[in-house]
mmCIF file of all heavy atoms in Angstrom:
data_model
loop_
_atom_site.group_PDB
_atom_site.id
_atom_site.type_symbol
_atom_site.label_atom_id
_atom_site.label_comp_id
_atom_site.label_asym_id
_atom_site.label_seq_id
_atom_site.Cartn_x
_atom_site.Cartn_y
_atom_site.Cartn_z
ATOM 1 N N MET A 1 -1.339 37.196 4.636
ATOM 2 C CA MET A 1 -0.230 36.308 4.336
ATOM 3 C C MET A 1 -0.781 35.023 3.727
ATOM 4 O O MET A 1 -1.719 34.444 4.231
ATOM 5 C CB MET A 1 0.529 36.022 5.631
ATOM 6 C CG MET A 1 1.674 35.099 5.471
ATOM 7 S SD MET A 1 2.538 34.978 7.064
ATOM 8 C CE MET A 1 3.711 33.780 6.628
ATOM 9 N N SER A 2 -0.199 34.595 2.638
ATOM 10 C CA SER A 2 -0.671 33.370 1.991
ATOM 11 C C SER A 2 0.105 32.172 2.522
ATOM 12 O O SER A 2 1.271 32.267 2.858
ATOM 13 C CB SER A 2 -0.517 33.466 0.479
ATOM 14 O OG SER A 2 0.841 33.511 0.145
ATOM 15 N N HIS A 3 -0.597 31.062 2.599
ATOM 16 C CA HIS A 3 0.018 29.820 3.060
ATOM 17 C C HIS A 3 0.194 28.905 1.861
ATOM 18 O O HIS A 3 -0.748 28.645 1.129
ATOM 19 C CB HIS A 3 -0.855 29.128 4.109
ATOM 20 C CG HIS A 3 -0.993 29.931 5.354
ATOM 21 N ND1 HIS A 3 0.000 30.016 6.282
ATOM 22 C CD2 HIS A 3 -2.008 30.705 5.814
ATOM 23 C CE1 HIS A 3 -0.388 30.802 7.264
ATOM 24 N NE2 HIS A 3 -1.604 31.238 6.997
ATOM 25 N N LEU A 4 1.401 28.441 1.658
ATOM 26 C CA LEU A 4 1.675 27.515 0.571
ATOM 27 C C LEU A 4 1.506 26.093 1.068
ATOM 28 O O LEU A 4 1.913 25.756 2.177
ATOM 29 C CB LEU A 4 3.097 27.721 0.051
ATOM 30 C CG LEU A 4 3.389 29.102 -0.529
ATOM 31 C CD1 LEU A 4 4.857 29.192 -0.917
ATOM 32 C CD2 LEU A 4 2.505 29.379 -1.725
ATOM 33 N N LEU A 5 0.918 25.248 0.257
ATOM 34 C CA LEU A 5 0.740 23.840 0.591
ATOM 35 C C LEU A 5 1.648 23.017 -0.299
ATOM 36 O O LEU A 5 1.678 23.193 -1.508
ATOM 37 C CB LEU A 5 -0.709 23.421 0.384
ATOM 38 C CG LEU A 5 -1.738 24.169 1.239
ATOM 39 C CD1 LEU A 5 -3.137 23.707 0.867
ATOM 40 C CD2 LEU A 5 -1.473 23.949 2.707
#
Side-chain angles (χ1 to χ4, degrees):
M1 179 175 176
S2 66
H3 296 283
L4 298 176
L5 299 177

